[in-house]
Amino acid sequence: MAKGNNYLIQAGMARERFLTYDAEALIRKLKLQADGEYLYTRLLAQPYRIRRSTGDVERMENGAWVDANTFGEVMTLLDLVCDSREDRYLSGRWKSMGQFGLLFHQNLLEEKRDKTADLFDRDPEGLHRACKRLGGRPIPGADIGYAIELFDGLEIGVQFWHGDDEFYPRLRYLWDENALMYIRYETMYFAIPLLLQRIRERM
């Protein structure tokens, strides 16, 4: 319960922080559609909107707006909207997740046994279908690899290797080397689980 409460507190703080920003400046920076009540954008191939007065997040699902105030959605989307740099640009060159952080972070997303990697190992065609449904484009370097847009042209590269007698199935994540112009390093750890959830939902 304490962990859940902590997530709620952090998401609430992110919404409060959004309210300290000039909404018109965010609209100009990101070229967002907006009206008097909402800012409109996209995250992981889905339309989203942010209520100007509260920072609450909604997602378009089956033609209707639904609540999207989950921890991962709030932390990822509001960080991208608020803190992406005005002068951001993509280099077109990949960099592995571990290369962005401190040495002790490098294995956080590459545990000995990854349940999501096991799922992909059992259903590789489902992985292909899900990534394509998210608008992913194939990338080389692994048994299965896709680049999937997170926000405003910024992609996450997902690379998957099947397991064998010696190694467990494995996942690796790539970002454009200028990703920190768009997203904070800590927020990458919110965006990755959100992407994996979307993939599982579409398998």
Side-chain angles (χ1 to χ4, degrees):
M1 181 64 71
K3 186 175 182 180
N5 287 341
N6 186 49
Y7 285 164
L8 289 174
I9 290 168
Q10 288 188 65
M13 290 173 63
R15 287 191 291 269
E16 289 175 5
R17 189 166 66 90
F18 166 79
L19 298 178
T20 69
Y21 284 76
D22 180 346
E24 297 304 319
L26 296 178
I27 291 166
R28 290 193 299 272
K29 178 180 74 170
L30 295 167
K31 300 180 174 61
L32 301 178
Q33 298 295 315
D35 56 32
E37 197 169 357
Y38 294 99
L39 308 185
Y40 297 87
T41 186
R42 294 180 67 83
L43 184 72
L44 291 172
Q46 284 187 278
Y48 278 75
R49 67 183 186 182
I50 305 166
R51 187 181 291 272
R52 287 174 179 254
S53 60
T54 64
D56 284 308
V57 175
E58 295 180 350
R59 177 182 67 251
M60 178 67 75
E61 200 76 59
N62 298 319
W65 291 106
V66 299
D67 182 84
N69 284 297
T70 68
F71 177 77
E73 286 170 301
V74 168
M75 299 300 289
T76 302
L77 182 60
L78 294 187
D79 181 28
L80 285 159
V81 168
C82 294
D83 293 336
S84 55
R85 284 171 39 175
E86 192 87 38
D87 62 346
R88 68 198 178 281
Y89 69 95
L90 299 171
S91 72
R93 294 182 294 274
W94 289 119
K95 189 173 175 180
S96 70
M97 183 86 168
Q99 291 176 295
F100 284 93
L102 299 173
L103 184 62
F104 71 89
H105 285 144
Q106 291 188 8
N107 294 322
L108 285 180
L109 291 175
E110 296 184 12
E111 300 173 357
K112 288 185 177 180
R113 197 67 186 251
D114 184 316
K115 292 181 179 178
T116 301
D118 285 342
L119 171 64
F120 296 163
D121 198 42
R122 293 192 301 271
D123 188 7
E125 289 307 313
L127 174 58
H128 279 293
R129 286 194 305 272
C131 289
K132 289 175 181 176
R133 287 170 179 167
L134 287 166
R137 61 180 181 86
I139 57 174
D143 293 333
I144 299 174
Y146 282 90
I148 297 171
E149 184 179 19
L150 176 67
F151 177 88
D152 193 33
L154 178 66
E155 295 176 320
I156 304 175
V158 180
Q159 292 184 311
F160 168 74
W161 288 266
H162 288 289
D164 57 28
D165 292 339
E166 296 184 36
F167 298 101
Y168 293 125
R170 184 164 62 93
L171 283 164
R172 185 170 74 150
Y173 309 100
L174 306 173
W175 296 81
D176 187 273
E177 67 179 9
N178 287 346
L180 296 182
M181 290 184 165
Y182 293 74
I183 191 170
R184 289 182 296 172
Y185 172 67
E186 294 80 5
T187 310
M188 292 178 173
Y189 285 89
F190 305 140
I192 293 293
L194 183 59
L195 171 60
L196 295 179
Q197 177 186 335
R198 291 287 183 271
I199 292 173
R200 290 192 297 266
E201 290 169 352
R202 286 157 177 77
M203 286 182 70

